[in-house]
């Protein structure tokens, strides 16, 4: 099993758009995502084109792709980026049959290295839905530190929810 993680190319961003647009309502609920807040495929593609035209230090988001034996099986992203300081991470094994086999933990560990290097971070946060067991267990395994559980709207695609706040610092 050869696991690799690298910055996502613009040509690969369809994986992200299709992951969310093809997700079952109960999966989006578990993620804390409000389906009515998803941009249309076209709007999302345009947004990716704009983001990728910017230098990394000016991008509002940064994506990495997760590869198993050279096949894309998932992705991670950062938003709320303050270049040189901090960012918020997201994590997804897109292929549901590949979950709970250790890929998430291995890919989070590799993604963290890329984020700290590319975004020159001091702190990386992650705030999964408090009731979504998989990311909470995975973050703990990937050596993130638990900070608190609180109510918030974590991002533009999300509804108001309980989230757990985790951090890794360098
Ligand atoms: C979160 C996610 C990326 C983790 O990847 P993964 O490959 O499934 O995780 P791993 O196999 O590395 O498991 C890591 C730990 O989490 C636990 N775990 C994973 N999924 C679990 C589940 N559904 N229920 C309970 N524990 C779970 C594993 O048992 C393991 O802990 P352990 O070794 O102490 O037993 C993946 O499950 C996923 O994409 N889920 C759907 C998307 C999602 O919820 N993303 C979070 C949005 S912030």
């Amino acid at each position: 099993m050869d696991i690799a993680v690298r910055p996502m190319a613009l040509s690969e961003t369809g994986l992200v758009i299709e992951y969310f647009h093809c997700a079952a309502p109960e999966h989006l609920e578990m993620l804390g995502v409000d389906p009515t807040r998803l941009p249309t495929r076209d709007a999302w593609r345009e947004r990716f084109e704009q983001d990728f035209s910017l230098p990394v230090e000016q991008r509002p988001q940064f994506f990495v792709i997760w590869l198993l034996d050279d096949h894309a099986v998932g992705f991670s992203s950062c938003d709320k980026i303050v270049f040189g300081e901090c960012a918020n991470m997201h994590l997804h094994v897109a292929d549901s049959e590949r979950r709970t086999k250790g890929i998430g933990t291995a890919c989070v560990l590799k993604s963290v290295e890329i984020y700290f290097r590319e975004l020159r971070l001091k702190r990386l946060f992650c705030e999964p839905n408090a009731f979504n067991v998989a990311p909470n267990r995975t973050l703990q395994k990937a050596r993130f530190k638990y900070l608190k559980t609180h109510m918030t709207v974590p991002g533009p695609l999300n509804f108001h929810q309980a989230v757990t706040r985790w951090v890794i610092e360098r």
Side-chain angles (χ1 to χ4, degrees):
M1 191 162 86
D2 179 32
I3 292 176
V5 177
R6 59 164 170 73
M8 189 180 278
L10 177 60
S11 60
E12 295 167 328
T13 53
L15 173 68
V16 178
I17 298 170
E18 292 311 311
Y19 170 73
F20 283 102
H21 271 281
C22 297
E26 55 274 21
H27 186 68
L28 294 178
E29 172 79 21
M30 187 182 71
L31 299 179
V33 168
D34 176 350
T36 68
R37 298 191 190 190
L38 293 180
T40 64
R41 285 178 167 87
D42 283 347
W44 216 336
R45 263 192 294 273
E46 274 176 37
R47 201 171 295 176
F48 272 124
E49 281 166 17
Q50 281 169 14
D51 285 1
F52 274 75
S53 71
L54 297 169
V56 169
E57 57 271 26
Q58 287 173 23
R59 286 191 200 168
Q61 298 188 87
F62 186 85
F63 284 79
V64 297
I65 190 161
W66 294 356
L67 303 160
L68 178 68
D69 297 330
D70 262 350
H71 294 288
V73 290
F75 63 92
S76 168
S77 66
C78 272
D79 57 12
K80 301 185 181 172
I81 299 169
V82 182
F83 191 83
E85 287 293 331
C86 60
N88 272 44
M89 183 185 79
H90 306 274
L91 57 155
H92 302 275
V93 173
D95 179 350
S96 59
E97 294 191 358
R98 303 277 190 192
R99 291 180 193 141
T100 67
K101 294 179 170 62
I103 293 170
T105 305
C107 289
V108 165
L109 287 167
K110 289 175 188 284
S111 303
V112 165
E113 292 306 315
I114 296 175
Y115 294 140
F116 271 91
R117 190 179 68 232
E118 295 291 323
L119 305 173
R120 315 266 163 85
L121 300 181
K122 298 189 179 93
R123 242 166 263 112
L124 179 63
F125 296 99
C126 189
E127 280 196 332
N129 185 297
F131 302 105
N132 187 358
V133 179
N136 283 290
R137 293 280 299 272
T138 303
L139 291 164
Q140 187 169 28
K141 229 181 154 187
R143 301 191 286 272
F144 276 72
K145 194 176 96 188
Y146 170 80
L147 290 177
K148 64 175 179 175
T149 302
H150 67 125
M151 295 294 294
T152 188
V153 180
L157 304 185
N158 300 111
F159 50 80
H160 192 239
Q161 61 196 273
V163 301
T164 45
R165 187 162 172 83
W166 297 81
V167 71
I168 194 158
E169 295 180 280
R170 292 275 161 90

